[in-house]
């Protein structure tokens, strides 16, 4: 690929942020695949869209939401009944570490 947009170093960096472990072969395979995807975006950018209205949805409906009505909630006891661990009336989960 003549104009690489994404390098192996960038794939490594992104995988580190995402906490995805990739070996050297996987990184080497991903670079051309990701650059090919970006090339498709370049081709889309070349399309003549002069006079074309933006399309935000195909069904013509806008912001179809139900009313936010207050209703009866389940009890704390019911909410916690299938929890693996609870403490002082709350769900207990494993500590999240950096």
């Amino acid at each position: 690929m003549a104009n690489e947009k994404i390098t192996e170093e960038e794939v490594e960096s992104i995988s580190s942020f995402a906490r995805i472990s990739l070996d050297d072969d996987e990184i080497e395979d991903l670079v051309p695949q990701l650059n090919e995807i970006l090339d498709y975006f370049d081709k889309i950018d070349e399309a003549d869209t002069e006079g074309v209205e933006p399309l935000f949805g195909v069904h013509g409906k806008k912001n179809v939401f139900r009313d936010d009505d207050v209703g009866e909630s389940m009890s704390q006891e019911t909410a916690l009944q299938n929890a693996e661990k609870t403490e002082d009336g709350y769900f207990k989960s494993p500590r999240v570490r950096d």
Side-chain angles (χ1 to χ4, degrees):
M1 192 163 299
N3 187 14
E4 275 196 353
K5 296 177 172 105
I6 293 180
T7 64
E8 288 185 9
E9 293 77 22
E10 289 170 319
V11 172
E12 286 181 57
S13 177
I14 292 166
S15 69
S16 173
F17 288 136
R19 296 184 180 187
I20 298 172
S21 178
L22 298 174
D23 63 33
D24 290 341
D25 290 336
E26 291 171 315
I27 292 170
E28 192 174 312
D29 289 342
L30 276 172
V31 169
Q33 292 174 21
L34 292 171
N35 280 304
E36 188 173 344
I37 291 169
L38 292 177
D39 286 341
Y40 285 121
F41 282 108
D42 287 341
K43 287 180 184 179
I44 291 170
D45 286 341
E46 293 173 8
D48 180 14
T49 58
E50 187 69 34
V52 177
E53 291 292 320
L55 179 64
F56 297 105
V58 294
H59 52 69
K61 298 179 182 177
K62 294 182 182 179
N63 295 332
V64 181
F65 298 110
R66 65 172 174 79
D67 290 335
D68 191 12
D69 296 324
V70 177
E72 188 175 329
S73 297
M74 69 174 70
S75 69
Q76 185 175 17
E77 181 180 288
T78 301
L80 295 172
Q81 72 184 1
N82 291 321
E84 187 175 321
K85 294 182 181 179
T86 63
E87 185 175 299
D88 299 326
Y90 297 96
F91 292 100
K92 183 171 174 112
S93 65
R95 176 180 219 136
V96 177
R97 296 191 176 126
D98 291 331

